[in-house]
């Protein structure tokens, strides 16, 4: 039986396209921005109703009229259920537009003339054009036209790493509706033109002269297969069950995450998703100053997903899920192996040796990894969700790929970034991710508490001044809930269900443990911050609304700002003992270094959700010991000892 939250199949996506065409809603200038599952009402899902009609939510954009449309299509009843037009917004740029924009720039006489005059480049075929949304900086055309302001690079040969040779000082401006270059912005510096870095620098295997040696095979074998069961996009593993989702905008999503606790199927998270991310750059120089990418709302994290490869991206016994989307013209677009799922050994889960009994007990930790990797032009983002046997849920984002580079003149030292190679410059920047966590802990009526650890003051009851305790503040309204991390109080958050108590009479709870984070360095008046108000706080809590999905609003591309979390939270709605959503903004400050070049070793950021009175005792207390193995050496100790 299919779960109602399973993503659309390719047949369903094509049916949606077909029905919209049949209803006369598609013109020759229509682009399909996304076709995704319109999720059924939550109460029906919780009620176990699998008989609900399947629906698709479709975002279209007519480049002829510069108008966006939103449609709901009933796939079960084969009709367009609703269709509305929205003026003045720019939906996510499609992959087709990325390709067409590059071609438009490469055939532009204005651009070719500037290339020749400034850099003596005759052959535009070696030039790479990365689309980059024009964003919004208070200029009328950015509000009224669909625009890109690409960054350009030149390869030294057709398969070279082009990012090693940035073309500083030139940014074509492309009208994506007409698909033509409307002007080429040329920036100058009084000291003379920026150089084109001479040296190429590569990472591709066929360009590395000598590989390091001595790496012996490391095989992961699971002779009896994996411990998970898969049915469509439904997964069961070690008491966990969930539905894996995927769409063009958010990429990988998790749905209806439950844990079977002594035979009872207990709900934990209803939906977990990346809602937005923004990468603001910190250099006020002319080519760099407008760089801030909204990788979800402008480019579509799912649309940019990779097709993953066994043995390279993922190791072990893998189950892959495909992602079904459509091209901007409504043709089928399936990314095979877009999501990888496998089990990983994660060291020791728990251990204790009672020295009096000589019976060491140890259990190995195994985690279920569900992951997806997206390439947004130069950068790669890997999204790794982990489920653990002790009830933990973790998100780890891996940042890798290639820095967004510029050129620097001989002998000069950058103030707002670092030289990563001669004449090659990487500006300082930050990456802010926003994740939406719709908890349904043993039901939908949940409350979020902010937990600060405080020390007692000196006094009779604290004679040695050692006392400290956790102080939980129940968050009652949206404004009360907005908060930053606080290292001084070791601040965490707790999601509780006050109607369900655990074995010690406390409300069942999960704790939210933040990881690394940062504050934005740009002023609140910076244009990108007006559009990305979600960076104003690390934590936000809102009452659940199925149409409040994206932290920077539904249409952040070229938006003028003020939408999303900042707008919703102003209502200051009550959030106590109701269906609540926790939104977490996490920032990574990236001061580039030569070691990030030519390709970056992954950096990590994330958080953990930890049961905290959800279970009555360590849920992994029932794990069987692993079979002890003989060591392969003649001097190995006995088999019992070696696994301790
Ligand atoms: Cu970075």
């Amino acid at each position: 039986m299919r779960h109602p939250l399973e993503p659309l199949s390719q047949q369903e996506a094509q049916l949606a396209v077909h029905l919209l065409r049949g209803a006369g809603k598609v013109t020759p200038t229509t682009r399909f921005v996304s076709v995704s599952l319109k999720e059924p009402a939550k109460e029906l899902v919780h009620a176990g109703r699998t008989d609900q009609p399947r629906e698709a939510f479709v975002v279209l954009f007519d480049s002829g009229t510069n108008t966006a449309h939103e449609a709901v299509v009933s796939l079960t009843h084969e009709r367009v259920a609703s269709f509305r037009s929205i003026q003045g917004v720019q939906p996510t740029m499609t992959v087709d537009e990325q390709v067409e924009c590059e071609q438009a720039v490469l055939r532009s006489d204005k651009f070719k003339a500037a290339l020749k005059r400034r850099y003596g480049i005759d052959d535009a075929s070696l030039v790479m054009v990365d689309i980059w949304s024009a964003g919004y900086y208070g200029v009328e055309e950015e509000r009224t036209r669909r625009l890109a302001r690409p960054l350009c690079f030149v390869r030294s040969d057709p398969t070279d790493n082009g990012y090693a040779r940035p073309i500083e000082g030139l940014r074509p401006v492309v009208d994506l509706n007409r698909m033509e270059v409307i002007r080429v912005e040329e920036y100058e510096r009084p000291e003379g033109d920026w150089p084109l870095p001479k040296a190429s620098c590569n990472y591709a295997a066929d360009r590395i002269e000598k590989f390091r040696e001595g790496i012996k095979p490391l095989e992961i074998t699971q002779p009896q297969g994996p411990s998970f069961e898969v049915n469509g996009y439904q997964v069961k593993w070690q008491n966990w069950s969930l539905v894996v989702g995927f769409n063009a905008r958010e990429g990988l999503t998790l749905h209806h995450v439950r844990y079977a606790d002594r035979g009872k199927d207990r709900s934990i998270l209803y939906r977990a998703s990346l809602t937005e991310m923004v990468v603001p750059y910190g250099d006020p120089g002319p080519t760099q100053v407008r760089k801030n990418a909204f990788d979800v709302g402008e480019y579509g994290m799912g649309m940019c997903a990779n097709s993953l490869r066994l043995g390279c991206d993922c190791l072990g016994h893998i189950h892959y899920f495909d992602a079904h989307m459509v091209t901007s013209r409504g043709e089928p677009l399936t990314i095979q192996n877009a999501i990888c799922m496998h089990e990983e050994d994660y060291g020791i889960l728990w251990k204790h040796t009672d020295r009096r009994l000589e019976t060491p007990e140890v259990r190995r930790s195994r985690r279920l990894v569900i992951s997806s990797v997206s390439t947004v032009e130069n950068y790669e983002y890997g999204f790794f969700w982990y489920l653990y046997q002790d009830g933990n849920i973790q998100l780890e984002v891996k940042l890798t790929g290639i820095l967004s580079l510029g050129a620097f003149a001989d002998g000069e030292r950058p103030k707002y970034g670092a030289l990563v190679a001669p004449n090659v410059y990487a500006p300082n920047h930050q990456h802010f991710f926003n994740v939406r966590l719709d908890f349904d802990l043993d039901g939908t009526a949940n409350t979020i508490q902010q937990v600060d650890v405080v020390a007692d003051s000196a006094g009779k009851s604290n004679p040695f001044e050692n006392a400290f305790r956790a102080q939980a503040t129940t968050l009652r309204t949206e404004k009360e809930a907005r908060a930053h991390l606080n290292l001084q109080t070791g601040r965490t958050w707790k999601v509780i269900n006050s109607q369900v108590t655990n074995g010690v009479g406390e409300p069942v709870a999960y704790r939210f443990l933040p990881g690394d984070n940062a504050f934005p360095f740009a002023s609140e008046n910076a244009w990108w911050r007006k559009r990305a108000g979600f960076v104003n706080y690390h934590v936000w809590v809102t009452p659940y609304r199925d149409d409040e999905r994206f932290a920077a609003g539904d249409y952040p591309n070229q938006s003028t700002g003020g939408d999303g979390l900042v707008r919703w939270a102003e209502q200051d709605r009550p959030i106590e003992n109701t269906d609540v959503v926790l939104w977490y903004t996490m920032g990574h400050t990236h001061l580039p270094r030569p070691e990030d070049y030519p390709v970056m070793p992954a950096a990590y950021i994330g958080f953990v959700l930890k049961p905290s009175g959800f279970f009555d005792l360590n849920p992994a207390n029932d794990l069987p010991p692993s079979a002890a193995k003989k060591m392969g050496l003649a001097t190995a100790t006995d088999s019992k000892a070696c696994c301790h």
Side-chain angles (χ1 to χ4, degrees):
M1 187 77 80
R2 181 159 64 177
H3 189 286
L5 296 175
E6 291 189 48
L8 296 185
S9 65
Q10 188 55 260
Q11 289 85 341
E12 287 178 315
Q14 286 303 302
L15 178 59
V17 170
H18 173 77
L19 293 169
L20 282 161
R21 282 195 208 285
K25 302 298 187 189
V26 179
T27 74
T29 48
T30 295
R31 287 190 191 272
F32 287 83
V33 176
S34 59
V35 179
S36 53
L37 175 73
K38 165 106 170 82
E39 294 172 24
K42 186 193 266 200
E43 51 276 18
L44 297 176
V45 176
H46 278 312
R49 291 271 301 277
T50 50
D51 56 342
Q52 300 155 60
R54 292 279 284 179
E55 291 184 321
F57 177 70
V58 185
V59 177
L60 305 107
F61 183 75
D62 192 326
S63 55
T65 59
N66 197 42
T67 308
H69 307 283
E70 289 179 352
V72 175
V73 180
S74 171
L75 303 168
T76 306
H77 304 301
E78 302 205 353
R79 64 183 183 87
V80 177
S82 72
F83 190 88
R84 73 180 188 114
S85 303
I86 311 165
Q87 299 288 344
V89 301
Q90 293 297 336
T92 307
M93 297 182 296
T94 59
V95 171
D96 291 343
E97 286 170 291
Q98 291 183 17
V99 175
E100 292 168 32
C101 171
E102 179 163 55
Q103 291 162 350
V105 172
L106 295 180
R107 66 172 179 261
S108 155
D109 291 335
K110 289 186 197 112
F111 180 70
K112 284 193 271 198
L115 269 185
K116 170 87 177 136
R117 180 163 33 80
R118 295 281 294 273
Y119 290 100
I121 298 171
D122 282 317
D123 181 4
S125 71
L126 291 172
V127 172
M128 311 192 318
V129 181
D130 279 8
I131 190 166
W132 289 76
S133 168
Y136 181 72
Y137 301 89
V139 178
E140 181 69 1
E141 65 172 5
E142 294 159 348
R143 210 174 50 73
T144 55
R145 302 174 78 167
R146 189 166 175 83
L147 292 182
R149 185 183 274 107
L151 284 166
C152 304
F153 306 82
V154 58
R155 300 181 197 268
S156 50
D157 65 67
T159 60
D160 185 30
N161 168 24
Y163 290 114
R165 303 176 75 216
I167 301 172
E168 190 85 16
L170 276 190
R171 289 190 80 173
V173 179
V174 182
D175 183 320
L176 297 175
N177 286 342
R178 286 155 50 189
M179 216 32 103
E180 65 179 33
V181 174
I182 56 173
R183 65 175 180 276
V184 177
E185 293 186 355
E186 294 195 44
Y187 316 120
E188 318 232 317
R189 62 200 290 275
E191 304 87 343
D193 225 338
W194 289 276
L196 201 58
K198 289 178 203 68
S200 59
C201 189
N202 224 302
Y203 50 86
D206 60 1
R207 300 242 177 185
I208 303 298
E209 284 176 16
K210 190 174 186 310
F211 289 122
R212 78 170 64 168
E213 291 166 354
I215 303 177
K216 305 279 195 321
L218 193 159
E219 306 282 351
I220 309 290
T221 58
Q222 294 179 270
Q224 297 174 37
S227 309
F228 52 70
E229 286 169 42
V230 183
N231 173 13
Y233 287 76
Q234 300 175 67
V235 176
K236 276 188 189 298
W237 178 78
Q238 293 280 300
N239 298 326
W240 289 100
S241 53
L242 74 153
V243 180
V244 173
F246 195 93
N247 65 70
R249 181 156 175 182
E250 298 160 299
L252 173 61
T253 50
L254 301 188
H255 304 263
H256 211 194
V257 181
R258 290 150 288 155
Y259 193 96
D261 179 20
R262 291 168 292 183
K264 190 167 167 242
D265 196 33
R266 300 179 67 190
S267 163
I268 297 171
L269 259 181
Y270 186 74
R271 195 179 196 279
S273 57
L274 174 77
T275 83
E276 192 49 85
M277 66 160 300
V278 59
V279 191
Y281 286 77
D283 181 340
T287 317
Q288 308 290 332
V289 68
R290 285 184 181 80
K291 271 166 59 171
N292 43 73
F294 287 66
D295 286 345
V296 175
E298 291 177 348
Y299 304 91
M301 199 54 86
M303 194 49 94
C304 298
N306 294 181
S307 181
L308 302 171
R309 286 163 60 198
L310 185 60
C312 305
D313 292 297
C314 320
L315 217 52
H317 190 112
I318 309 296
H319 182 88
Y320 289 110
F321 299 93
D322 296 340
H324 302 296
M325 298 178 285
V326 301
T327 70
S328 83
R329 297 304 180 198
E331 300 300 320
L333 173 68
T334 290
I335 300 178
Q336 284 177 341
N337 301 352
I339 303 164
C340 163
M341 181 173 75
H342 69 287
E343 293 174 288
E344 246 174 36
D345 180 275
Y346 193 59
I348 290 174
L349 177 60
W350 59 257
K351 174 163 190 170
H352 182 61
T353 303
D354 184 331
R355 71 174 167 82
R356 295 167 196 84
L357 301 178
E358 289 185 9
T359 53
E361 292 283 352
V362 61
R363 301 293 182 274
R364 292 200 69 77
S365 176
R366 190 186 290 202
R367 62 185 184 184
L368 183 71
V369 187
I370 305 171
S371 68
S372 168
V373 181
S374 292
T375 302
V376 188
E377 297 287 28
N378 52 296
Y379 236 96
E380 259 78 6
Y381 296 101
F383 301 93
F384 290 72
W385 286 98
Y386 303 117
L387 301 179
Y388 293 86
Q389 292 160 309
D390 60 354
N392 282 4
I393 303 172
Q394 183 184 4
L395 172 65
E396 184 172 70
V397 182
K398 301 186 186 186
L399 299 86
T400 177
I402 299 181
L403 287 160
S404 181
L405 299 165
F408 232 73
D410 285 326
E412 294 184 5
R413 295 278 148 196
K415 183 174 173 186
Y416 303 105
L419 288 174
V420 294
N423 301 123
V424 184
Y425 159 65
N428 297 337
H429 58 278
Q430 296 184 286
H431 303 255
F432 288 98
F433 301 84
N434 183 274
V435 180
R436 179 180 183 274
L437 299 167
D438 177 6
F439 285 94
D440 282 357
L441 214 59
D442 277 336
T444 53
N446 290 172
T447 297
I448 299 195
Q449 297 179 326
Q450 179 180 306
V451 180
D452 292 281
V453 182
V454 292
D456 280 3
S457 45
K460 263 191 192 156
S461 61
N462 187 20
F464 289 2
E465 300 189 26
N466 65 317
F468 67 91
R469 61 204 156 81
Q471 184 175 284
T473 310
T474 294
L475 303 172
R476 293 167 304 181
T477 69
E478 289 178 291
K479 284 189 182 174
E480 228 176 73
R482 297 182 302 203
H484 292 298
L485 303 193
N486 184 345
L487 206 53
Q488 280 178 318
T489 66
R491 184 172 291 164
T492 56
W493 284 261
K494 218 170 163 181
V495 185
I496 66 168
N497 186 331
S498 52
Q499 286 149 28
V500 183
T501 48
N502 60 22
V504 291
E506 297 286 342
V508 294
Y510 250 76
R511 193 166 291 204
F512 174 81
L513 302 178
D516 284 352
N517 212 326
F519 289 95
F521 291 105
S523 138
E524 282 198 36
N525 297 320
W527 286 107
W528 74 265
R529 279 199 64 178
K530 294 179 188 175
R531 300 169 53 211
F534 65 88
V535 305
N536 294 352
Y537 295 96
H538 293 136
V539 165
W540 306 70
V541 182
T542 61
Y544 168 82
R545 297 283 182 278
D546 64 359
D547 58 351
E548 292 181 2
R549 281 280 176 81
F550 302 107
D554 287 349
Y555 295 101
N557 185 21
Q558 294 184 249
S559 67
T560 54
D563 203 0
L565 279 172
V566 278
R567 183 166 65 79
W568 306 326
E570 274 308 309
Q571 301 167 77
D572 208 19
R573 294 168 290 189
I575 51 172
E576 196 179 352
N577 202 17
T578 187
D579 193 354
V580 285
V581 178
L582 186 141
W583 306 70
Y584 180 57
T585 302
M586 52 186 182
H588 172 78
T589 302
H590 192 168
L591 304 179
R593 50 190 189 131
E595 291 88 343
D596 287 336
Y597 185 74
V599 65
M600 289 175 280
Y604 303 83
I605 189 166
F607 58 82
V608 175
L609 310 177
K610 198 187 246 316
S612 195
F614 186 75
F615 300 107
D616 287 346
L617 47 68
N618 177 1
N621 215 37
D622 64 353
L623 281 181
S626 322
K629 281 186 181 159
K630 291 253 188 225
M631 286 172 69
L633 302 170
T635 54
T637 50
D638 72 77
S639 64
K640 192 178 171 198
C642 79
C643 75
H644 296 159

